[in-house]
């Protein structure tokens, strides 16, 4: 701009600014892409979260186009699924239409509904159900176990079921089979106490002239 009687700002305001349109109100965001294989359960994994795809694509390689809000799944240049980005680590985002008929029935069960039913029976049952659900990477797989445990409670009574779940928590064994075995063998009344060592049983230092107690250094 040497030798000119106007500045860059004056040139911008007079010539360039009138030609400019408004900025896009939506902030531009770069999309990322990757290629993954559809798992046997009909889901693909992206950043520790799982998203459903049509079951006929199991075993196929699909393209994932994603940003911070949405993931789109393509197979042979056709978008076969769109999901919001899931924030829960190892959680599952599911489109019911993607599941086979045999699995769609499980979507009628909600974890909160299961936990409410368990809490109505007893707090140990609710805690046990929580551990069953947490122990499954695929949450819907826990529904069948919890439903079976509820059926056991109707058969043997709520009191025995509460005791069985309490023992299952102590044993850290979270499954329908574990509760069924406890009830079949009538082990629910077994009490497992972890005894704390007392002063009487704690090891003592032997008396010897070469062993100096704390009093020696006081």
């Amino acid at each position: 701009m040497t030798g000119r009687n106007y500045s860059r700002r004056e040139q911008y305001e007079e010539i360039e600014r009138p030609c400019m349109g408004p900025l896009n109100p939506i902030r531009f965001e770069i999309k990322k892409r990757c290629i993954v294989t559809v798992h046997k359960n009909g889901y693909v994994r992206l950043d520790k979260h799982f998203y459903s795809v049509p079951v006929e694509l199991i075993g196929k390689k699909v393209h994932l186009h994603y940003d911070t809000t949405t993931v789109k799944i393509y197979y042979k240049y056709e978008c076969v699924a769109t999901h919001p980005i899931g924030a829960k680590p190892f959680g599952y985002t599911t489109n019911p239409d993607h599941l086979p008929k045999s699995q769609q029935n499980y979507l009628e069960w909600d974890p909160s509904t299961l936990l409410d039913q368990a809490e109505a029976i007893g707090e140990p049952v609710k805690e046990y159900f929580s551990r069953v659900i947490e122990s499954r990477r695929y949450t819907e797989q826990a529904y069948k176990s919890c439903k079976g445990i509820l059926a056991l409670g109707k058969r043997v009574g709520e009191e025995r079921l509460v005791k069985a779940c309490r023992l299952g928590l102590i044993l850290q064994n979270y499954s329908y089979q574990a509760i069924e075995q406890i009830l079949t063998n009538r082990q629910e009344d077994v009490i497992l106490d972890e005894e704390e060592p007392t002063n009487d049983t704690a090891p003592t230092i032997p008396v010897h002239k070469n062993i100096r107690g704390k009093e020696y250094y006081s």
Side-chain angles (χ1 to χ4, degrees):
M1 305 297 288
T2 303
R4 302 187 184 187
N5 60 357
Y6 55 86
S7 67
R8 290 183 176 87
R9 167 61 65 178
E10 291 173 329
Q11 176 176 304
Y12 166 72
E13 295 291 347
E14 182 180 351
I15 300 175
E16 298 176 4
R17 189 181 187 91
C19 300
M20 297 176 66
L23 292 175
N24 192 328
I26 302 176
R27 184 179 179 87
F28 178 78
E29 187 173 5
I30 297 177
K31 291 186 180 292
K32 300 179 181 180
R33 301 194 307 171
C34 64
I35 301 175
V36 298
T37 302
V38 181
H39 295 181
K40 292 181 179 180
N41 60 358
Y43 286 79
V44 294
R45 176 177 173 176
L46 174 64
D47 294 337
K48 297 184 179 181
H49 197 87
F50 297 86
Y51 304 88
S52 66
V53 299
V55 291
E56 57 267 21
L57 297 180
I58 290 177
K60 306 290 186 181
K61 290 188 178 298
V62 294
H63 292 251
L64 272 55
H65 296 205
Y66 62 98
D67 52 28
T68 57
T69 59
T70 307
V71 54
K72 293 187 176 182
I73 304 170
Y74 290 84
Y75 179 68
K76 292 184 177 181
Y77 304 104
E78 178 184 357
C79 182
V80 295
T82 301
H83 297 285
I85 290 294
K88 182 180 178 181
F90 300 106
Y92 285 78
T93 299
T94 305
N95 181 340
D97 295 335
H98 294 163
L99 298 178
K101 296 296 183 181
S102 59
Q103 293 186 20
Q104 288 182 4
N105 294 332
Y106 291 119
L107 294 179
E108 299 175 1
W109 286 82
D110 183 85
S112 59
T113 302
L114 287 170
L115 295 176
D116 289 343
Q117 294 180 13
E119 186 177 21
I121 299 173
E123 191 62 31
V125 183
K126 179 183 178 181
E127 179 65 20
Y128 191 83
F129 275 29
S130 298
R131 300 297 178 87
V132 171
I133 294 172
E134 292 172 0
S135 66
R136 305 296 193 274
R137 291 189 66 181
Y138 184 29
T139 304
E140 283 79 1
Q141 292 177 346
Y143 293 170
K144 187 175 181 180
S145 295
C146 293
K147 185 177 179 181
I149 293 172
L150 289 174
L152 288 174
K154 292 181 180 179
R155 218 163 51 226
V156 302
E158 294 182 353
E159 183 178 354
R160 289 190 62 193
L161 182 61
V162 169
K163 293 180 179 180
C165 288
R166 185 181 291 118
L167 180 57
L169 290 169
I170 295 174
L171 299 176
Q172 298 183 0
N173 192 352
Y174 312 120
S175 67
Y176 165 81
Q177 290 78 8
I179 299 301
E180 182 185 39
Q181 183 176 5
I182 291 173
L183 293 171
T184 301
N185 297 332
R186 293 190 171 273
Q187 297 173 316
E188 66 271 14
D189 290 324
V190 173
I191 301 177
L192 300 179
D193 291 330
E194 296 181 1
E195 296 182 357
E196 295 291 337
T198 62
N199 294 334
D200 296 336
T201 59
T204 57
I205 300 177
V207 178
H208 191 277
K209 63 180 180 179
N210 290 333
I211 297 178
R212 302 165 183 170
K214 62 182 180 180
E215 294 81 6
Y216 178 85
Y217 299 95
S218 58

